[in-house]
Amino acid sequence: MGKKKGGKAAAPADDFLQTLEDFTSKENWDKFFTLRGNDDSFEWYAEWPQLRDTLLPLLQESSSSSSGSLQILVPGCGNSRLSEHLYDAGFRDITNVDFSKVVISDMLRRNIRTRPQLRWRVMDITKMQLADESFDTVLDKGALDALMEPEVGTKLGNQYLTEAKRVLKPGGKFICLTLAESHVLALLFSKLRFGWKMTVHSISQKRSNLKTFMVVAEKEKSILLHDITSSFDLLSIGRNDNQGSGMREALESENQIRRDCNNGSDLLYSHEDLKLGIKGDLAELTGGRRIKFTLASNFSYRAVLLDAQKQTEPFVYHCGVFLVPKTRAHEWLFCSEEGQWQVIESSQAARLIMVFLDSSHSGVAMEDIQNDLSPMVTQLAPRNDDEAARIPYMMASDGIKKRDTVHEVTSSLTGKVVVEDVVYESTPSNLEGLSPSDLAFRRLVFKRTEGLIQSEALLVEDGEILELSQKDKTVSQSKRKGNKKQNQESSGPLMKVSHDYLASSYHTGIISGFTLVSSYLKKAESCGKMVKTVIIGLGAGLLPMFLHGCLPFSDVEAVELDPVMLSVGKDYFGFTQTDRLKVHIADGIKFIRDITNSETPADGIKFIRDITNSETPSEETSNAVPQSTSSNGDSTTYTVKGGTCPDILIVDVDSADSSGGLTCPASEFIEETFLLSVKRALPEHGLFVVNLVSRSQSVKDMVVSRMKKVFDHLFGLQLEEEDDVNVVLFGLCSESVISESDIPESALILEGLLKCQRPETKQSILEATKKLKCWK
C-alpha cells in the first residue's frame, strides 16, 4: 500500500509517486498501477528479506494454535509481492483485497497459474463484505498509513480499523506495518486498547532512511488493559532519528494512559470500548453514571453519557440526545460536570447522551447529523419494555438571542465578508459594571470559513444619539464611520467597540505569551524605548488597537494583503492609525523577508537589525517618518530611519484553502524558509507568535516540529474551549529563556505593564499565562 506524502520512498518510484496526489483516491491508484504495469511490483515499506525473520515466526505461532489452515487477510494489497512470498513459505489461505480493479486484475493474472489458491477481491477496506471473525491474521502493509491523509482526518482510518477488528477471530493477530507517524499511532493505540495485547517491533531497511515498525496486536476474549511492549530498546532507537523518538514518545504516552486507567483514572473512551462493557452493562441504568467518550461514523463527535442521579423520578423519556453547537460548547452549563447534571435534570430523561458539535459539522444539515448518530445512539440506550419508545433529539440553540447584519462586502481576495452584531443568550460574567442583558458583540465573519469568527468585540454605549438610519444606503462613508451599532427599530444610544476588552480567547492567549519576554518589555519601558510589534493579518484591527492602548510603549505595525479589511476595520470596528499604529497593505511574506535585506524594500520600509538592548534609542532612530499619504487619508507609507527590527512578530492570517487541514495560518507562513526569515528578522530577545488553527493532529505536529527546528525555545498554549483546534505557539530566539517555574513571576511583570481600564481583561490574561507550557 502507498506511503503518505510526508515521507520518502525509494528512488525508483519517485516519478510514479507524482501521480498520487491523494492516497485515498481509487482513481489515482488505478492510474498509478496502470503506469507501473502488471509485472512491476514495488515494496513501499520493508522488503521480504527484512520482514521474513520477524513475520514468519508470528504466523507460524498463530498457525500452530489454529484448528485448521491459517486464514490470512491482506487489506490494501496493491501490487506487493508479500502475499506471494507468504504463499511460497507454505501459507495457502490468503485473501487479498484492494479497491483498485486495475491492480487486482494484474495480480490475478500474475499468479493464476503459479499460485492458484491465492484469492483476489476488489473491495473497499473500510466496508469489507467479509464475515465476522473469519480470519486468524489481518496483515496490513501500509494500508492504515495511506488512509490517514491530513485533509481526511481519522475518519477512513477509524472505519478501516473497525472492520479489521470485526473480521478477526478471538486470539487472532492484527499485524500492521507502519512508518509510525504520530497521528497514525494515536488512532491505532487508542482503537486497540481494551482486550488487545500489543507488541512493537522495528524493521531495518537497506534502501531507505525511513524506519518501518511492525505493530502486532492480539485480540483477546477479555477486556483487560495491557501495557504495550517492544522488542527493541526504546531509548537507543530514539536517539538519532525523529521517527524513533516519535515512537518512543507515543508508547510512553499511551502506556501512561493505560496505567492511569488501571489505577482508576477516567479517560475518553470510544463507542466501541463502551460496547465491550468497559464501563459496565449500558443496558442497565445506573444512577449518577457519567462517561466521556467519542462516536465515529460518517462524522466524529465528542459525547457524554449521563444517567440521572435520581432514578426514582418519573421520566418522560427513557433516553434522549442533546446536541450542543460549537458556539456554546465552552459554556459552564455544557462543559462542566455540575452544569451537565442540570441539563439532564431539565431534560426529563433517564439517560441523556450529550453530543458536542464542532467545526467539522459546519454546513451539515441537522437531519444528516441525526441520521448519522441514530444507529450508535440506539446501541447506547438503556433497556426499555416499550419497544416503540422513541429517542428524542434536543438541541441548545446557537447561543445567539439576536443577530443583526450590519454590513456585507465581497472582496476579490477574501470573498464575502460579513459584519454582524449579536446578543448572546449567556454572556461572560467577568464584565464588571455591565448587566448581561446589555451585552452586545460585533463580529467579523468570512463566508469561506463561516464556522470561524475572525474578530469579535464588545459593544459599549458612547453616550451619543444615533443619527444614521440603517435604511439609508446612500449615506456618506464619513457618517457611518467608527463602530456604530444601528438600532433598527428606532434611534437609540450610539454604540462603539471597546478596545480594552478581549472578546476572542486566542487574542488573550497571544497577549499572555508576552510574559515570556516581560523582562525585556519592562527594561524597554524603563529606559523609554519603544517596543516594535509587527502583526501579519489585520482582521478587524482589534489586536493592534488593544496593544496600542494597553501597552503605551508599543509601536505597532500591521501588515494586511486585503485593503477591504482596512476599510472594514475603520468603518465598523473603530480602527484608527496613529504615529504608533500603522498599516501596510502588502504581502506578509515579502514584508518579513524585506526586513532581513540591507536594501530598502519597494514599499519604502527599511529595518536595520539592532540587538544592543541596553541602549536607549534616540528620537531619530525610534520614530517613523511619513513619506507619502494618499489623498483620502486612508493609507500612509512610512520609512523607519535607522529603525530596529521588530521585537515581537505575530502571524494571525487565515488560510484561503483549508482543505489541507490548516485553517490558520496560511501554509506559506509555516514553511521552514519563512520561519528562518522570521528568526533572522528578530533580535535575540525577539518573540514570534503563531495562531495555529487545525483539526488535524498531523498538521499540528508538523508545524510544531518545524518551529522546534528553527527556534531555540518553543512554548505553547492550548485554548481548551476550542476543542483542541486552536493552539498559540511562541518561538524564542535566545538560548537562555525563562522556565515554566519562572512564568508566575514574569506574569506579574506583565501585569504591571498592562494599562487596561477593565480589570477583568488583565485578569483573563494572567489566567491564560498559567496554561503556557514549554515544548522545547
Side-chain angles (χ1 to χ4, degrees), residues 238-273:
R239 286 174 182 168
N240 302 315
D241 68 277
N242 291 332
Q243 253 191 307
S245 176
M247 172 58 83
R248 186 185 73 246
E249 291 175 7
L251 282 174
E252 290 175 348
S253 175
E254 176 64 20
N255 280 335
Q256 187 59 53
I257 290 173
R258 296 179 178 218
R259 293 180 197 124
D260 289 345
C261 186
N262 280 331
N263 290 331
S265 298
D266 205 0
L267 54 79
L268 189 65
Y269 299 94
S270 70
H271 178 213
E272 293 177 2
D273 293 338

Side-chain angles (χ1 to χ4, degrees), residues 61 65 168-174 192 195-199 216-221 226:
E61 177 188 348
S65 60
L168 197 61
K169 298 177 183 178
K173 291 185 175 71
F174 177 68
L192 306 182
W196 294 82
K197 188 178 293 184
M198 191 177 292
T199 302
V216 182
E218 183 178 346
K219 184 178 182 180
E220 296 185 318
K221 294 182 179 179
H226 304 279

Side-chain angles (χ1 to χ4, degrees), residues 113 179 200-201 363 450 476 592 744 752 774:
R113 290 190 177 89
L179 295 184
V200 180
H201 306 272
E450 199 165 0
S476 68
I592 296 304
C774 182

Side-chain angles (χ1 to χ4, degrees), residues 24 77 83 94 127 147 163 170 173 189 216 232 237 261 263 329 459 523 561 621 649 708 741:
T24 65
C77 60
S83 295
I94 304 175
K127 301 171 185 176
L147 292 175
E163 285 290 272
K173 291 185 175 71
F189 289 168
V216 182
F232 50 85
I237 201 171
C261 186
N263 290 331
L459 290 171
K523 187 176 182 180
L561 186 62
T621 62
L649 176 59
K708 282 182 176 180
S741 60

Side-chain angles (χ1 to χ4, degrees), residues 526-551:
S526 299
C527 66
K529 180 178 179 180
M530 300 299 289
V531 173
K532 185 178 293 298
T533 300
V534 171
I535 304 173
I536 301 180
L538 177 66
L542 299 176
L543 182 60
M545 287 293 287
F546 178 84
L547 290 173
H548 177 267
C550 295
L551 286 176

Side-chain angles (χ1 to χ4, degrees), residues 324-557:
V324 182
K326 178 182 183 296
T327 53
R328 304 197 64 185
H330 65 281
E331 294 180 19
W332 176 88
L333 186 63
F334 305 115
C335 70
S336 71
E337 182 174 350
E338 185 179 353
Q340 289 168 2
W341 288 123
Q342 289 187 18
V343 174
I344 187 174
E345 184 176 348
S346 62
S347 72
Q348 296 183 298
R351 172 172 294 170
L352 189 68
I353 300 170
M354 189 177 291
V355 178
F356 295 87
L357 305 182
D358 55 42
S359 302
S360 67
H361 307 116
S362 298
V364 182
M366 201 52 56
E367 181 181 0
D368 293 335
I369 287 177
Q370 291 187 22
N371 290 338
D372 192 42
L373 286 169
S374 184
M376 296 181 287
V377 167
T378 301
Q379 295 171 355
L380 295 170
R383 187 179 294 111
N384 185 36
D385 294 334
D386 183 3
E387 296 182 359
R390 66 185 185 92
I391 299 177
Y393 281 78
M394 299 165 267
M395 185 174 182
S397 68
D398 61 4
I400 296 177
K401 184 191 306 182
K402 182 181 179 183
R403 185 199 308 267
D404 293 329
T405 298
V406 177
H407 180 65
E408 290 186 1
V409 62
T410 299
S411 161
S412 59
L413 294 175
T414 308
K416 190 173 183 180
V417 176
V418 177
V419 178
E420 61 183 17
D421 288 350
V422 299
V423 176
Y424 292 111
E425 291 178 352
S426 66
T427 49
S429 58
N430 62 346
L431 284 166
E432 297 182 2
L434 288 174
S435 168
S437 61
D438 297 331
L439 298 182
F441 293 83
R442 177 155 294 176
R443 311 197 308 186
L444 176 67
V445 179
F446 297 165
K447 283 296 182 179
R448 70 188 185 194
T449 51
E450 199 165 0
L452 190 68
I453 306 302
Q454 300 293 330
S455 298
E456 185 171 23
L458 174 68
L459 290 171
V460 294
E461 284 190 20
D462 196 24
E464 299 178 12
I465 301 299
L466 185 65
E467 299 177 350
L468 176 63
S469 170
Q470 178 71 13
K471 297 180 181 179
D472 185 2
K473 301 299 182 181
T474 62
V475 70
S476 68
Q477 179 98 340
S478 61
K479 285 188 179 181
R480 57 181 175 83
K481 272 187 184 180
N483 24 30
K484 300 179 178 66
K485 175 177 178 288
Q486 172 67 41
N487 181 327
Q488 295 185 353
E489 301 300 327
S490 61
S491 296
L494 183 67
M495 306 296 287
K496 68 175 184 178
V497 165
S498 171
H499 291 122
D500 59 355
Y501 176 76
L502 296 173
S504 298
S505 59
Y506 79 91
H507 279 167
T508 303
I510 287 173
I511 303 300
S512 74
F514 285 25
T515 294
L516 302 172
V517 291
S518 61
S519 294
Y520 171 76
L521 299 179
K522 178 64 176 176
K523 187 176 182 180
E525 184 204 38
S526 299
C527 66
K529 180 178 179 180
M530 300 299 289
V531 173
K532 185 178 293 298
T533 300
V534 171
I535 304 173
I536 301 180
L538 177 66
L542 299 176
L543 182 60
M545 287 293 287
F546 178 84
L547 290 173
H548 177 267
C550 295
L551 286 176
F553 55 93
S554 62
D555 186 358
V556 184
E557 299 195 16

